[in-house]
């Protein structure tokens, strides 16, 4: 995992929330989808993957992975440990080992998933935050958010409110903190150290 300077996203807070679709799309090695990298560093990597057909995921030995549905009808994962798991609703988060072979089977058409990867010995977490639960939601430990539904207002140390809508992300420098609020029907994914 390395910095991703071509997307100019190492310290984008000064630019405010950005649409995921504005990030450079990189094709998967197997052609089964596209990835847009939000952050990539030594301790963690956050991206949005577009899965356009049934396809195998790349293996990442020693890496823990979490995926969550952003758009679409869902995806089933067949894991080489013999289990099958499904992400069918926005807000569900699936955790699995990058050591496993994974086959992704689309439920009903293409999907976008938020993808968090980190070394297994350096825990990070992705959690879904519902708008109704986020009255005064503090993001002091958060490093990034990706909005799945609704409209959110982020207010950081500067006091300048920034509106985040579905399909947007915001990267927060360490120690920046702030508050997120939604009108009640929003949902976002918040990423923070474990």
């Amino acid at each position: 995992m390395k910095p991703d300077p071509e997307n100019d996203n190492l310290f984008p807070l000064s630019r405010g929330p950005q649409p995921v679709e504005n990030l450079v799309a990189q094709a998967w090695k197997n052609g089964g989808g596209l990835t847009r990298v939000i952050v990539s560093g030594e301790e963690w990597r956050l991206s949005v993957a577009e899965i356009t057909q049934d396809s195998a995921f790349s293996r990442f030995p020693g890496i823990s992975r979490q995926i969550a549905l952003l758009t679409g009808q869902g995806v089933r994962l067949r894991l080489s440990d013999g289990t099958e798991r499904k992400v069918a609703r926005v807000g569900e988060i699936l955790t699995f080992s990058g050591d496993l072979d994974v086959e992704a089977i689309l439920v009903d058409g293409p999907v976008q998933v938020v993808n968090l990867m980190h070394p297994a010995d350096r825990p990070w977490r992705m959690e879904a935050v519902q708008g109704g639960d986020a009255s005064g939601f503090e993001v002091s430990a958060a490093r990034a958010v990706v909005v799945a539904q609704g409209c959110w207002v982020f207010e950081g140390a500067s006091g300048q409110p920034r509106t985040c809508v579905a399909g947007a992300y915001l990267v927060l420098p360490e120690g920046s903190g702030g508050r997120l609020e939604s009108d009640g029907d929003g949902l976002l994914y918040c990423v923070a150290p474990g």
Side-chain angles (χ1 to χ4, degrees):
M1 295 188 221
K2 300 180 230 126
D4 194 24
E6 66 270 15
N7 283 324
D8 189 29
N9 62 4
L10 296 177
F11 302 100
L13 185 62
S14 61
R15 297 184 307 157
Q18 298 294 310
V20 168
E21 67 186 29
N22 286 0
L23 296 170
V24 175
Q26 303 165 358
W28 292 8
K29 289 179 188 175
N30 64 15
L34 298 171
T35 297
R36 287 178 163 84
V37 177
I38 295 171
V39 174
S40 185
E42 290 182 18
E43 292 191 11
W44 63 298
R45 180 180 191 262
L46 182 66
S47 62
V48 171
E50 297 174 24
I51 307 171
T52 56
Q53 63 189 25
D54 296 350
S55 187
F57 284 2
S58 297
R59 289 183 72 224
F60 291 93
I63 299 296
S64 181
R65 300 186 67 175
Q66 296 174 51
I67 66 166
L69 192 63
L70 190 59
T71 64
Q73 299 302 309
V75 61
R76 290 191 332 264
L77 301 184
R78 284 193 189 133
L79 307 172
S80 59
D81 65 2
T83 62
E84 185 171 303
R85 300 171 72 191
K86 185 176 177 180
V87 178
R89 291 182 300 124
V90 173
E92 294 178 338
I93 299 171
L94 191 80
T95 301
F96 59 98
S97 171
D99 293 317
L100 299 173
D101 291 321
V102 178
E103 183 72 23
I105 300 108
L106 296 170
V107 171
D108 185 16
V111 298
Q112 286 184 313
V113 294
V114 180
N115 181 29
L116 173 64
M117 300 184 350
H118 58 87
D121 62 348
R122 292 184 224 156
W124 281 72
R125 70 183 187 281
M126 176 168 41
E127 59 186 283
V129 178
Q130 295 277 348
D133 302 335
S135 178
F137 176 68
E138 296 292 330
V139 291
S140 58
R143 296 292 190 273
V145 297
V146 179
V147 179
Q149 296 175 341
C151 180
W152 294 77
V153 176
F154 172 77
E155 188 171 318
S158 71
Q160 178 184 3
R162 299 170 190 264
T163 302
C164 306
V165 297
Y169 69 92
L170 183 64
V171 177
L172 306 164
E174 187 173 349
S176 63
R179 291 169 63 89
L180 275 164
E181 294 185 14
S182 172
D183 57 10
D185 64 352
L187 187 141
L188 60 76
Y189 298 109
C190 183
V191 176

